[in-house]
PDB file of all heavy atoms in Angstrom:
ATOM      1  N   VAL A 205      28.780 130.285 114.294  1.00  0.00           N
ATOM      2  CA  VAL A 205      29.654 131.247 113.607  1.00  0.00           C
ATOM      3  C   VAL A 205      29.902 130.917 112.142  1.00  0.00           C
ATOM      4  O   VAL A 205      30.551 131.690 111.446  1.00  0.00           O
ATOM      5  CB  VAL A 205      31.000 131.454 114.355  1.00  0.00           C
ATOM      6  CG1 VAL A 205      30.763 132.103 115.705  1.00  0.00           C
ATOM      7  CG2 VAL A 205      31.758 130.154 114.506  1.00  0.00           C
ATOM      8  N   SER A 206      29.405 129.783 111.648  1.00  0.00           N
ATOM      9  CA  SER A 206      29.498 129.526 110.204  1.00  0.00           C
ATOM     10  C   SER A 206      28.094 129.568 109.600  1.00  0.00           C
ATOM     11  O   SER A 206      27.706 130.540 108.964  1.00  0.00           O
ATOM     12  CB  SER A 206      30.172 128.175 109.922  1.00  0.00           C
ATOM     13  OG  SER A 206      31.530 128.198 110.321  1.00  0.00           O
ATOM     14  N   ILE A 207      27.290 128.515 109.857  1.00  0.00           N
ATOM     15  CA  ILE A 207      25.952 128.483 109.237  1.00  0.00           C
ATOM     16  C   ILE A 207      25.060 129.575 109.834  1.00  0.00           C
ATOM     17  O   ILE A 207      24.301 130.232 109.108  1.00  0.00           O
ATOM     18  CB  ILE A 207      25.346 127.078 109.381  1.00  0.00           C
ATOM     19  CG1 ILE A 207      26.222 126.094 108.575  1.00  0.00           C
ATOM     20  CG2 ILE A 207      23.890 127.052 108.891  1.00  0.00           C
ATOM     21  CD1 ILE A 207      25.756 124.674 108.571  1.00  0.00           C
ATOM     22  N   GLY A 208      25.182 129.813 111.139  1.00  0.00           N
ATOM     23  CA  GLY A 208      24.364 130.854 111.784  1.00  0.00           C
ATOM     24  C   GLY A 208      24.606 132.217 111.159  1.00  0.00           C
ATOM     25  O   GLY A 208      23.671 133.014 110.994  1.00  0.00           O
ATOM     26  N   THR A 209      25.845 132.494 110.812  1.00  0.00           N
ATOM     27  CA  THR A 209      26.177 133.798 110.223  1.00  0.00           C
ATOM     28  C   THR A 209      25.592 133.907 108.815  1.00  0.00           C
ATOM     29  O   THR A 209      25.065 134.962 108.431  1.00  0.00           O
ATOM     30  CB  THR A 209      27.711 133.985 110.191  1.00  0.00           C
ATOM     31  OG1 THR A 209      28.219 133.699 111.489  1.00  0.00           O
ATOM     32  CG2 THR A 209      28.084 135.397 109.812  1.00  0.00           C
ATOM     33  N   ILE A 210      25.663 132.821 108.054  1.00  0.00           N
ATOM     34  CA  ILE A 210      25.078 132.845 106.700  1.00  0.00           C
ATOM     35  C   ILE A 210      23.565 133.090 106.806  1.00  0.00           C
ATOM     36  O   ILE A 210      22.997 133.907 106.076  1.00  0.00           O
ATOM     37  CB  ILE A 210      25.365 131.521 105.957  1.00  0.00           C
ATOM     38  CG1 ILE A 210      26.883 131.285 105.828  1.00  0.00           C
ATOM     39  CG2 ILE A 210      24.702 131.522 104.571  1.00  0.00           C
ATOM     40  CD1 ILE A 210      27.262 129.894 105.301  1.00  0.00           C
ATOM     41  N   LEU A 211      22.929 132.401 107.762  1.00  0.00           N
ATOM     42  CA  LEU A 211      21.475 132.539 107.926  1.00  0.00           C
ATOM     43  C   LEU A 211      21.084 133.921 108.445  1.00  0.00           C
ATOM     44  O   LEU A 211      19.919 134.307 108.367  1.00  0.00           O
ATOM     45  CB  LEU A 211      20.947 131.459 108.884  1.00  0.00           C
ATOM     46  CG  LEU A 211      21.052 130.013 108.391  1.00  0.00           C
ATOM     47  CD1 LEU A 211      20.677 129.042 109.516  1.00  0.00           C
ATOM     48  CD2 LEU A 211      20.148 129.793 107.174  1.00  0.00           C
ATOM     49  N   ALA A 212      22.075 134.665 108.987  1.00  0.00           N
ATOM     50  CA  ALA A 212      21.778 136.004 109.521  1.00  0.00           C
ATOM     51  C   ALA A 212      21.698 137.055 108.417  1.00  0.00           C
ATOM     52  O   ALA A 212      21.271 138.180 108.677  1.00  0.00           O
ATOM     53  CB  ALA A 212      22.847 136.402 110.543  1.00  0.00           C
ATOM     54  N   VAL A 213      22.114 136.704 107.212  1.00  0.00           N
ATOM     55  CA  VAL A 213      21.986 137.657 106.099  1.00  0.00           C
ATOM     56  C   VAL A 213      20.516 137.670 105.672  1.00  0.00           C
ATOM     57  O   VAL A 213      19.981 136.630 105.265  1.00  0.00           O
ATOM     58  CB  VAL A 213      22.886 137.251 104.907  1.00  0.00           C
ATOM     59  CG1 VAL A 213      22.664 138.185 103.717  1.00  0.00           C
ATOM     60  CG2 VAL A 213      24.355 137.257 105.331  1.00  0.00           C
TER      61      VAL A 213
END
Side-chain angles (χ1 to χ4, degrees):
V205 295
S206 294
I207 296 182
T209 310
I210 300 171
L211 294 172
V213 176

